Amino acid sequence: MVHVIDITDPADPRLDDYRDLNKSDRRPDLPGGKGLVIAEGVLVVERMLTSRFVPISLLGVDRRLTELGSRLGGVDVPFYRTPTEVMDEVIGFHLNRGVLAAARRPEPLTAQDVLTSARTVAVLEGVNDHENLGSMFRNAAGLGVDGVLFGKGAADPLYRRAVRVSMGHVLRVPFADVPDWPRGLNLLRENGFQLISLTPDPGAVRLADAMTGEKVAVLLGAEGPGLTEHAMRATDVRARIPMAPGTDSLNVATAAAMAFYERARTAE
Amino acid sequence: MVHVIDITDPADPRLDDYRDLNKSDRRPDLPGGKGLVIAEGVLVVERMLTSRFVPISLLGVDRRLTELGSRLGGVDVPFYRTPTEVMDEVIGFHLNRGVLAAARRPEPLTAQDVLTSARTVAVLEGVNDHENLGSMFRNAAGLGVDGVLFGKGAADPLYRRAVRVSMGHVLRVPFADVPDWPRGLNLLRENGFQLISLTPDPGAVRLADAMTGEKVAVLLGAEGPGLTEHAMRATDVRARIPMAPGTDSLNVATAAAMAFYERARTAE
């Protein structure tokens, strides 16, 4: 069970991990120069508690402690209970969700860890927007995607905004970097994956016709530039979502959702 | 051609339609108590120029005037050219996109107007988030949806944020209210549409199996509450997107995109 510790002084140093949250996503004092992983709100904190991200403490108001209740049973860390105003002052804004948990970053998974029991993975190149990244993980979780791999230029999926937008699913859907990009994609082929590039190119095969593998990896690039030619050359097939003429490419998280849906639509 | 009028005084009353944009989305002095329709940036202004929303004026910096160039050929209204600082002061923030157009709201279309030549429409109930609404229109345009109908409780699709997030597609994809909700859905049936409710209910039919009509209307509710039972009862079939267990329902614009994709996946 968590140890509930009441704190009423916003300057209490035990709350330092939560101070000025809007500014603290980068913490040069921590390994890798990146901040702690922060879960916000009851739902995301619950997801953290059942993930490989083990909280070192929680901060919240009494009402949220009650709501979490027995979910905190196996958690042997402090729960800093504060009045709302104290919490607001510490974190630097009003958090309606009323509870936070902070975890250190565990050892990163390897691409092979992610692939071992996977049937469907997403591979992202240059997706550098935290909100798109968060939405992508949310869609991946919802549609049964087993893992996410990162090529070059992706943003940090554990950034606070990405964790929030993903509704905590970045903490549960396994992810890893592909080393030696894009040559490292060979690892996917060795693991039996069909590699599919998603592109707006009207000359590409329709997604519904392209996705034929027993195991499938869908590659997506950032909105705007898309995948590099370099990355696309390393894949088996270039696929497109049928688009209306004179429109823009879709948001990358939406395009990903459609690829995941194509994979899941006749499952069960 | 637009009449270029140089203005350097931020207090010039000719710029009043653009003043304090963040506060002016509601204009009680205008019919319906709603503001002008504002297009931001070259791309969205271009889309407005080829829509039924006819600008009454434009405001922008010289560079954007040049970029718009011949697209302004048929437009017989003032282009207020200002230095960047003047524009920023008038609108109340820095707009990197550098150009705005303002249009009055035309007479709303009727549901029958939207349905007459349509094969695929979305019907939204209670979708009250401008960003979701904007994304929905962007996805609708991209995936060839012919129109959008609104049941009860939808937000204003012409709100500035919705216009921006839609990348101007709310100005081009026709939309209208369904009167007498949900009974008014009969109009869709009279026009030959199959009515499909989208629901996370695991007892519903898979979307891929449910979508059988020659003409299709997909009903969606807001994220969280979803469609009312009342609305679902007025439809022909309840369909679900296959979801992984223990996950949340998808964002409404994403769910809509998957329904549109299901419709478009084997088109052409």
Side-chain angles (χ1 to χ4, degrees):
Chain A
M1 190 61 195
V2 291
H3 328 296
V4 178
I5 299 172
D6 283 301
I7 299 186
T8 53
D9 175 9
D12 192 307
R14 289 172 292 184
L15 302 182
D16 282 355
D17 284 339
Y18 300 97
R19 211 166 289 288
D20 295 324
L21 272 189
N22 278 335
K23 293 176 198 156
S24 68
D25 264 321
R26 303 229 142 249
R27 286 273 305 270
D29 53 315
L30 288 171
K34 289 170 177 171
L36 294 164
V37 182
I38 302 284
E40 299 169 78
V42 168
L43 178 74
V44 179
V45 168
E46 280 175 9
R47 290 193 168 140
M48 178 178 270
L49 291 172
T50 59
S51 79
R52 66 194 179 92
F53 297 83
V54 183
I56 53 174
S57 69
L58 294 91
L59 163 63
V61 299
D62 186 62
R63 185 174 145 215
R64 303 305 178 184
L65 173 62
T66 308
E67 279 175 37
L68 280 163
S70 62
R71 260 76 52 103
L72 297 170
V75 186
D76 192 25
V77 298
F79 187 111
Y80 301 119
R81 179 168 57 186
T82 65
T84 304
E85 315 77 64
V86 174
M87 182 169 172
D88 293 358
E89 191 172 336
V90 171
I91 67 176
F93 56 91
H94 175 64
L95 184 81
N96 207 22
R97 298 183 190 85
V99 64
L100 297 159
R104 291 217 182 81
R105 291 169 181 246
E107 272 298 296
L109 302 175
T110 67
Q112 185 58 56
D113 292 337
V114 171
L115 293 172
T116 295
S117 58
R119 287 189 64 248
T120 310
V121 297
V123 186
L124 306 183
E125 185 190 41
V127 177
N128 56 8
D129 177 285
H130 291 114
E131 189 158 341
N132 282 342
L133 215 49
S135 301
M136 228 280 316
F137 270 87
R138 180 184 175 190
N139 296 342
L143 294 160
V145 171
D146 304 304
V148 177
L149 295 174
F150 291 106
K152 264 198 184 135
D156 176 12
L158 297 174
Y159 199 79
R160 195 165 58 92
R161 184 175 177 76
V163 176
R164 182 174 65 235
V165 173
S166 82
M167 301 180 87
H169 288 297
V170 294
L171 307 175
R172 309 221 294 185
V173 176
F175 62 86
D177 287 336
V178 177
D180 191 18
W181 180 260
R183 213 165 315 152
L185 285 169
N186 277 331
L187 181 68
L188 282 80
R189 210 169 268 117
E190 287 158 18
N191 278 268
F193 281 81
Q194 181 196 21
L195 298 177
I196 303 175
S197 291
L198 218 58
T199 164
D201 180 356
V205 182
R206 285 193 308 210
L207 180 60
D209 301 323
M211 200 177 265
T212 55
E214 173 70 24
K215 297 180 180 181
V216 163
V218 180
L219 276 76
L220 297 118
E223 199 174 325
L227 289 167
T228 59
E229 181 59 29
H230 213 47
M232 285 200 279
R233 274 204 200 125
T235 65
D236 301 313
V237 58
R238 301 181 189 204
R240 69 185 162 83
I241 292 161
M243 298 284 294
T247 56
D248 319 279
S249 65
L250 294 161
N251 169 289
V252 63
T254 306
M258 275 178 286
F260 305 157
Y261 170 76
E262 178 63 42
R263 183 74 170 155
R265 66 187 279 280
T266 54
E268 290 165 44
Chain B
M1 191 61 195
V2 291
H3 327 296
V4 179
I5 299 172
D6 283 302
I7 298 186
T8 53
D9 175 9
D12 192 309
R14 289 173 292 184
L15 302 181
D16 282 355
D17 284 338
Y18 300 96
R19 211 166 288 290
D20 295 324
L21 272 190
N22 278 334
K23 294 177 198 155
S24 68
D25 264 323
R26 303 231 142 249
R27 285 272 305 269
D29 54 315
L30 288 171
K34 290 170 177 170
L36 295 164
V37 182
I38 303 284
E40 298 168 79
V42 169
L43 178 75
V44 179
V45 168
E46 279 175 9
R47 290 192 169 141
M48 178 179 270
L49 291 172
T50 58
S51 78
R52 66 194 178 92
F53 297 83
V54 182
I56 53 175
S57 70
L58 295 91
L59 163 64
V61 299
D62 185 62
R63 185 174 145 213
R64 303 306 178 184
L65 173 62
T66 308
E67 280 175 39
L68 280 163
S70 63
R71 260 76 53 101
L72 297 170
V75 187
D76 192 24
V77 298
F79 187 111
Y80 300 118
R81 179 167 58 186
T82 65
T84 305
E85 316 77 64
V86 174
M87 183 169 171
D88 292 358
E89 191 173 335
V90 171
I91 68 176
F93 56 92
H94 175 63
L95 184 82
N96 206 23
R97 297 184 189 85
V99 64
L100 297 160
R104 291 219 180 78
R105 292 171 180 245
E107 271 298 296
L109 301 174
T110 67
Q112 186 58 56
D113 291 336
V114 172
L115 294 172
T116 296
S117 59
R119 287 190 63 249
T120 310
V121 296
V123 186
L124 307 183
E125 185 190 40
V127 177
N128 55 9
D129 176 285
H130 291 115
E131 189 157 342
N132 282 342
L133 214 50
S135 301
M136 227 281 315
F137 270 87
R138 180 184 175 190
N139 296 341
L143 294 159
V145 170
D146 304 304
V148 177
L149 295 174
F150 291 107
K152 261 199 186 135
D156 175 12
L158 296 174
Y159 199 79
R160 196 165 57 92
R161 185 175 177 76
V163 175
R164 181 175 65 237
V165 173
S166 82
M167 301 179 85
H169 288 297
V170 295
L171 306 176
R172 308 220 296 185
V173 176
F175 62 86
D177 287 336
V178 178
D180 191 18
W181 181 259
R183 213 166 315 154
L185 285 169
N186 277 331
L187 182 68
L188 281 80
R189 210 169 268 116
E190 288 158 18
N191 278 268
F193 281 81
Q194 182 196 23
L195 298 177
I196 303 176
S197 292
L198 217 58
T199 164
D201 180 356
V205 181
R206 286 191 308 210
L207 179 60
D209 301 324
M211 201 177 264
T212 55
E214 173 71 23
K215 297 181 182 180
V216 163
V218 180
L219 275 77
L220 297 118
E223 200 174 325
L227 288 168
T228 59
E229 181 59 30
H230 212 49
M232 285 200 279
R233 272 205 201 126
T235 64
D236 300 314
V237 59
R238 300 180 190 205
R240 69 185 162 83
I241 292 161
M243 298 285 295
T247 56
D248 319 280
S249 64
L250 294 161
N251 169 290
V252 63
T254 306
M258 276 178 286
F260 305 157
Y261 171 76
E262 178 63 41
R263 182 73 170 156
R265 67 187 279 281
T266 55
E268 291 165 47

